[in-house]
Amino acid sequence: MAYMTSLYPKYGWMRAGWAGVLCALCLLPLSSCTENKNPPLLPARFNVSLFSLSPDGSNIIGNSVPLEMNVDGCGNVSQAQVLYVGESEQPIVNVAFSPEKHSAKTTLETKHFTPFYPQHGIAVHLSLKARAKCEDGRVSDSLPLSISFLPVTSTFKPETGIAATDHFVAIGGINGTPTTFLGCSKDVTQQTFSLVHFDAENNLHSEINFGTNPLACNASTQISNPVNGGPNSGYRWAYTLGEDGRLFAFRLQGKQLVLDAAHAFPGLILRQFSMDSEGNAFVVVSSTKEYALFRLSPVANQARNFVKIPFSETLPSVAFPSPPLLLSGGIVLLPMWNVPMNATRGRLEIHSFTLNNDVLEAQCGVNEIGMPANPCPPIENIEFNPYRDVPMAPAAVLSKDGLRLFLAPADPNHNISDTPYAVVSYELKPSVDAASRHLYQPSLLAGGRANLFESPVTKLSLSKDGRFLVASTDTSIRFLDTTQGRETLPLGKPLTVSGKLYVTEHIHGPQGSGDSLILLNSPFFSPGDLFSKWLFGENFGWPTEAIAIDSPEKGELWRFSYGGSGDQPLNAIAVAIDEGGQMWMRRGAELVQLLPQTTYRNLRTP
């Protein structure tokens, strides 16, 4: 280094000077050594969340869906949206954020859901998410939020108590007349039961307190349709199936309830109920040893009579009767599963009765040599495997003209245990004395497809115009054309219930309301055995899902699944259709007036 210094003496001071400058620069911040062209590095994503502000959570029934969108980690939000998440993403609504605000509220209305109803259906769960864009260009999405929205006309929420009873029927609603309701109510403090008449605002008009002779309100409590015409016009029956069953005949005079007759069966169990056009009740009751069919009048103090139902074998049996089927001319048919204890085979028996001068009489079938037997046998006797094929009660219904009996499960060969499940149409022909009907020429519905159903048909009902037979298994629903004997398949497949639910009720609208139908589906809490399962649904919870249908050809109109457990009425729903065809729903503690069917159909139609 000495050589270099002596060779270039005039540059020595420069070498020493630059060394000092470099040492000084090293003491400055690193950023001052370079030009600051980029902002500080920020995370690519920030947090976006989307919440439902409805007290109903994700199952919303009302006029709108309130939402809140939160953004964290973004200075100012320059753009925000709520999007539908499906096969593709589709913006639904823009959300306005104020400067330096990190949350904003928005509302989705029926119009925002309308584009999705034709493909996905009304009130099914849709997946939504929020998307926000920062002023610096960063974009983030929220996690998906599942929303079910059923638009309705109005809701009625009482300040205290429940807006509608556990079970209720809707009356009125014709030509603009107000709709009121009848239901069975329990006073939890006094442990008493009453029949009440109330309006949509939960105003009590009248009640009948059953006092010491109570109608025990439970999941099987029902109120019949009124008698239409004749001296007993307007009469209805209120009844509860099960232990020590009781029936009450009552009328509604203006707003006042009038109790006319009460019937109890001490020591007997009320199994099934039907009412004829004159208001007479036909009920099946049983003891531990025998069954009987009673005829009861709605008029107080009028005599009643009954006929015992004989079994065609001596073994102790368990019987599963359907509601009595009432034909013209005072003829009563009673299909019944007869399951002998410890037997390998059971029978589907059809008993027949006649009502002559208000007195029930049994009509006998014939034995092998063509003569009436003693005791009086059923007019039809079909063997089946009881431990595989028996539902809660035989699924049976009469055609609108009363000339055909639809029955399931059965087949033309009467060999139920070895065939798939089906629905059979029996023609009812006059017998020799022309005073009764015999089964004749059974034929399969649905074009002869014996493998139509995957499991036993548990319920059959007929549309008000008689065109369609509604056949449901535990978990699926099919529509059979009664005139052409073929199946009507909306969207090419049967309707199915949601999750682990079971079809427990068909509710048809009044005459003139088209094919309006509500299917109520309930949870099942324990497997039980055949007998306990049949005791009118004590193992079934209260309904938690409703499926509405306005036409079998068009299929599902809307579906609403309530988030409750169904273990009690407040965690479930109930539905009624008034005389004008308007649908009403009790959802938890509130009463809901649904939109007209035509409005829902317009929403479903592309």
Side-chain angles (χ1 to χ4, degrees):
M1 293 296 296
Y3 173 80
M4 293 294 297
T5 300
S6 60
L7 186 60
Y8 304 103
K10 61 179 180 179
Y11 297 112
W13 64 271
M14 294 180 63
R15 182 176 58 185
W18 279 114
V21 171
L22 291 174
C23 289
L25 290 175
C26 290
L27 298 177
L28 297 176
L30 181 62
S31 60
S32 62
C33 294
T34 59
E35 184 179 354
N36 186 14
K37 295 182 179 180
N38 298 314
L41 294 178
L42 295 174
R45 292 185 58 83
F46 50 92
N47 294 324
V48 179
S49 55
L50 186 65
F51 297 98
S52 170
L53 295 178
S54 170
D56 305 325
S58 62
N59 290 319
I60 300 171
I61 186 168
N63 305 111
S64 60
V65 179
L67 298 173
E68 181 175 341
M69 181 175 174
N70 295 325
V71 177
D72 182 32
C74 171
N76 289 329
V77 178
S78 62
Q79 186 182 27
Q81 292 176 316
V82 175
L83 302 93
Y84 160 74
V85 182
E87 298 79 10
S88 61
E89 294 180 352
Q90 183 174 339
I92 298 177
V93 66
N94 293 322
V95 183
F97 272 75
S98 300
E100 299 183 356
K101 294 292 184 180
H102 301 287
S103 66
K105 296 179 181 179
T106 189
T107 299
L108 300 183
E109 300 174 353
T110 305
K111 63 181 181 181
H112 295 116
F113 290 88
T114 301
F116 311 108
Y117 286 148
Q119 180 179 358
H120 300 285
I122 299 177
V124 299
H125 281 268
L126 297 177
S127 184
L128 309 178
K129 72 177 181 180
R131 174 171 295 166
K133 181 177 181 180
C134 268
E135 61 182 356
D136 57 23
R138 292 176 297 149
V139 177
S140 286
D141 291 351
S142 71
L143 293 174
L145 172 67
S146 180
I147 289 290
S148 169
F149 175 54
L150 177 63
V152 300
T153 299
S154 54
T155 59
F156 304 89
K157 297 181 180 180
E159 295 182 2
T160 58
I162 185 170
T165 56
D166 299 346
H167 282 288
F168 65 92
V169 296
I171 57 179
I174 302 175
N175 298 325
T177 58
T179 301
T180 57
F181 308 92
L182 296 172
C184 182
S185 177
K186 178 180 179 181
D187 187 323
V188 294
T189 303
Q190 301 296 326
Q191 292 297 307
T192 58
F193 303 93
S194 299
L195 186 69
V196 295
H197 178 215
F198 57 97
D199 59 27
E201 283 74 29
N202 204 25
N203 298 312
L204 180 65
H205 295 320
S206 176
E207 70 176 314
I208 299 173
N209 192 307
F210 297 115
T212 58
N213 195 24
L215 175 72
C217 303
N218 60 35
S220 69
T221 303
Q222 299 292 326
I223 299 172
S224 74
N225 292 323
V227 180
N228 186 16
N232 296 330
S233 181
Y235 273 102
R236 297 174 184 261
W237 291 88
Y239 59 94
T240 293
L241 304 177
E243 296 291 337
D244 200 10
R246 301 176 187 274
L247 296 96
F248 297 85
F250 67 95
R251 291 169 288 135
L252 188 63
Q253 292 183 338
K255 293 184 178 181
Q256 296 300 308
L257 291 166
V258 179
L259 181 63
D260 280 273
H263 300 276
F265 305 93
L268 300 175
I269 301 174
L270 197 160
R271 298 299 190 189
Q272 295 288 10
F273 169 92
S274 291
M275 183 182 74
D276 67 11
S277 60
E278 297 179 358
N280 295 300
F282 293 84
V283 296
V284 182
V285 299
S286 72
S287 67
T288 56
K289 297 181 179 180
E290 57 187 359
Y291 287 71
L293 176 68
F294 272 79
R295 176 259 179 189
L296 308 172
S297 170
V299 181
N301 302 319
Q302 194 169 98
R304 66 184 188 180
N305 75 294
F306 69 94
V307 175
K308 289 186 178 180
I309 302 172
F311 292 144
S312 54
E313 76 288 311
T314 58
L315 291 174
S317 301
V318 176
F320 302 78
S322 76
L325 302 169
L326 311 174
L327 284 69
S328 60
I331 301 168
V332 183
L333 295 181
L334 181 66
M336 175 182 289
W337 302 121
N338 185 355
V339 186
M341 298 295 188
N342 302 318
T344 58
R345 303 289 287 179
R347 273 184 288 276
L348 170 60
E349 300 179 349
I350 301 180
H351 297 265
S352 181
F353 307 86
T354 57
L355 184 63
N356 296 320
N357 297 321
D358 292 335
V359 177
L360 270 177
E361 298 175 353
Q363 175 203 342
C364 289
V366 295
N367 60 18
E368 288 78 3
I369 60 174
M371 297 294 292
N374 189 17
C376 181
I379 63 171
E380 187 78 350
N381 195 334
I382 307 170
E383 284 197 339
F384 68 99
N385 182 332
Y387 302 108
R388 193 188 78 179
D389 292 342
V390 125
M392 290 200 304
V397 68
L398 290 172
S399 63
K400 194 173 180 63
D401 58 13
L403 298 180
R404 282 192 292 166
L405 169 65
F406 302 111
L407 191 65
D411 69 40
N413 298 319
H414 296 176
N415 188 18
I416 301 174
S417 62
D418 300 322
T419 63
Y421 309 103
V423 175
V424 171
S425 172
Y426 286 95
E427 187 177 357
L428 298 176
K429 286 282 189 179
S431 62
V432 175
D433 58 9
S436 60
R437 295 287 186 270
H438 285 167
L439 304 182
Y440 182 72
Q441 290 184 344
S443 61
L444 279 173
L445 288 185
R449 288 181 55 196
N451 60 344
L452 186 64
F453 300 95
E454 71 284 355
S455 59
V457 175
T458 56
K459 287 185 180 297
L460 287 175
S461 63
L462 202 64
S463 62
K464 287 296 181 179
D465 58 10
R467 292 191 308 129
F468 288 99
L469 191 67
V470 183
S472 64
T473 67
D474 279 343
T475 58
S476 66
I477 305 96
R478 294 178 183 269
F479 303 98
L480 307 178
D481 189 314
T482 60
T483 58
Q484 301 181 23
R486 60 177 175 81
E487 182 181 15
T488 296
L489 276 178
L491 303 179
K493 58 184 179 181
L495 293 178
T496 56
V497 302
S498 301
K500 296 181 179 180
L501 297 179
Y502 299 83
V503 182
T504 51
E505 193 168 356
H506 299 179
I507 301 176
H508 289 270
Q511 188 71 37
S513 63
D515 296 317
S516 58
L517 167 67
I518 295 284
L519 302 165
L520 294 183
N521 310 317
S522 308
F524 189 65
F525 288 114
S526 63
D529 54 28
L530 287 178
F531 187 73
S532 65
K533 181 181 178 182
W534 176 76
L535 281 180
F536 309 102
E538 83 279 13
N539 285 335
F540 284 100
W542 297 83
T544 58
E545 181 179 68
I547 302 175
I549 296 153
D550 62 340
S551 168
E553 293 97 339
K554 297 177 182 177
E556 182 178 312
L557 179 62
W558 55 261
R559 176 185 302 233
F560 180 74
S561 298
Y562 184 47
S565 63
D567 61 336
Q568 57 179 309
L570 284 176
N571 291 329
I573 59 176
V575 176
I577 306 175
D578 68 21
E579 297 166 274
Q582 172 67 55
M583 296 181 179
W584 299 81
M585 178 191 296
R586 177 188 55 74
R587 192 273 305 266
E590 68 182 3
L591 182 66
V592 177
Q593 181 183 6
L594 298 161
L595 292 172
Q597 287 181 297
T598 53
T599 303
Y600 285 121
R601 178 49 62 191
N602 290 335
L603 291 174
R604 285 298 306 264
T605 303

